[in-house]
Amino acid sequence: MAFDTRLLTGVGVLAAVTEAGNFARAAEMLGLTPSAVSRAVARLEARVGVRLFDRNPRGVSLTEEGRRFHAQVVPLLAGLDEAAAEAAGAAAVVRGRLRVSVDPWFARMVLAPKLQQFLARYPLLSVDFSTSNYREEMMAGVDVAVRFGPPDASSLIVRKLLETRVLTVAAPVYLEKHGEPRSPYDLVHHETILFRDPQTGLPFAWEFQRGAEVNEVKVSSRLVMDDPSAAMAACLAGQGIFQSLAIGLAPFLSRGELVQILPEWSEERFPLYAYHPSRHLPPAKVRALLDFIQEIAAQA
């Protein structure tokens, strides 16, 4: 099979420059001269037919086309690295750098407090951790992404990690002032805090499920937020009633900082999925993280 080996070299240089932020630091990482790095990038840009980097005196940054190309080739480089490790008999060893993008609520309430335990379990592993609830280009520069909500139709491998209930909660100070709703439709007379769906830009609808009965209530609000942790902080302060994922709420409920309202109408469930590039077998480090998430989620 004919293959342009300079293309693979150029892709490796692209990844190094992206990580380093400029040609000089990338050259140090690769053991090359800055001019050799610059030539390799120029050859790659000529090969793919687009400009991949914007150059300026302070450094370089990926163009829009460069970001898309980088997002596509980084998983391939990781695959080569994993294939080499497997050929060497080290496929089961969890090592290297794991780049992960996690939903902010799950990251803060469940995963981040347990990362010390995860890293202690795998001393040869380091984690590059980012948070986002958006899905556009969520795989750019990462090995695995974790998001709440139904899975997208894509070429990515999808693994369901858990389902969690949706609870309606309020702070005691709010209920003392405004009273507790006795039915879902009482909520039209209450202050609520809405969470914006990152996919549509619109607030999530409020749904109440009891057995086979499902009611959607058109609540109104003077406060719409796109960060569930900030929305929870407002709820704890008594701003209004909030619908939250149940996972991570147990400490607030047990301490009495939050009160669940309409508990008989809380059978709606919301899934958490992991996404990683389409490969027959994900890297050991990815499998280790996903297994760990399911382990700690069962305790949350």
Side-chain angles (χ1 to χ4, degrees), residues 235-251:
C235 180
L236 289 166
Q239 171 60 36
I241 298 172
F242 183 51
Q243 275 203 335
S244 171
L245 300 174
I247 193 164
L249 285 190

Side-chain angles (χ1 to χ4, degrees), residues 265-284:
W265 287 97
S266 62
E267 295 181 23
E268 180 187 2
R269 293 185 175 273
F270 213 59
L272 181 71
Y273 282 90
Y275 300 82
H276 58 83
S278 179
R279 295 177 56 201
H280 177 66
L281 185 66

Side-chain angles (χ1 to χ4, degrees), residues 22 81 173 260 262:
N22 62 47
D81 190 46
V173 64
Q260 182 185 358
L262 303 171

Side-chain angles (χ1 to χ4, degrees), residues 4-5 20 29 32 43 48 53 79 91 137 139 145 154 161 175 193 195 214 216 225 240 255 257 270 275 292-293:
D4 184 355
T5 57
M29 291 169 55
L32 300 173
R43 284 195 298 267
V48 300
F53 287 103
E137 299 185 2
M139 298 306 303
S154 71
L161 299 175
L175 297 177
I193 303 166
F195 177 58
V214 179
E216 184 176 313
M225 307 184 82
R255 293 193 298 261
E257 297 174 46
F270 213 59
Y275 300 82
F292 181 76
I293 285 176

Side-chain angles (χ1 to χ4, degrees), residues 66 80 108 117 130 136 146 175 196 239 290 295 298:
L80 288 173
R108 179 182 177 188
Q117 178 182 337
S130 62
E136 294 80 4
V146 178
L175 297 177
R196 183 180 295 111
Q239 171 60 36
L290 301 188
E295 175 188 325

Side-chain angles (χ1 to χ4, degrees), residues 133-293:
N133 53 25
Y134 292 91
R135 299 195 185 188
E136 294 80 4
E137 299 185 2
M138 67 179 176
M139 298 306 303
V142 303
D143 301 298
V144 61
V146 178
R147 295 289 187 275
F148 278 109
D152 293 330
S154 71
S155 61
L156 299 172
I157 298 299
V158 181
R159 173 173 165 180
K160 188 175 184 179
L161 299 175
L162 60 91
E163 282 189 342
T164 183
R165 288 190 302 151
V166 177
L167 303 187
T168 307
V169 296
V173 64
Y174 175 87
L175 297 177
E176 290 169 7
K177 185 175 181 180
H178 299 280
E180 184 172 340
R182 298 302 175 186
S183 79
Y185 294 104
D186 288 344
L187 289 166
V188 299
H189 306 297
H190 281 265
E191 288 280 354
T192 61
I193 303 166
L194 300 184
F195 177 58
R196 183 180 295 111
D197 184 344
Q199 306 312 307
T200 67
L202 301 174
F204 275 104
W206 280 32
E207 192 173 279
F208 296 86
Q209 184 173 337
R210 183 175 62 183
E213 187 178 359
V214 179
N215 291 325
E216 184 176 313
V217 178
K218 295 184 181 296
V219 298
S220 59
S221 177
R222 294 184 295 157
L223 183 59
V224 180
M225 307 184 82
D226 66 357
D227 181 347
S229 297
M232 180 53 62
C235 180
L236 289 166
Q239 171 60 36
I241 298 172
F242 183 51
Q243 275 203 335
S244 171
L245 300 174
I247 193 164
L249 285 190
F252 299 103
L253 294 168
S254 63
R255 293 193 298 261
E257 297 174 46
L258 287 176
V259 175
Q260 182 185 358
I261 61 176
L262 303 171
E264 69 278 15
W265 287 97
S266 62
E267 295 181 23
E268 180 187 2
R269 293 185 175 273
F270 213 59
L272 181 71
Y273 282 90
Y275 300 82
H276 58 83
S278 179
R279 295 177 56 201
H280 177 66
L281 185 66
K285 59 188 178 182
V286 171
R287 298 196 304 272
L289 176 69
L290 301 188
D291 290 345
F292 181 76
I293 285 176

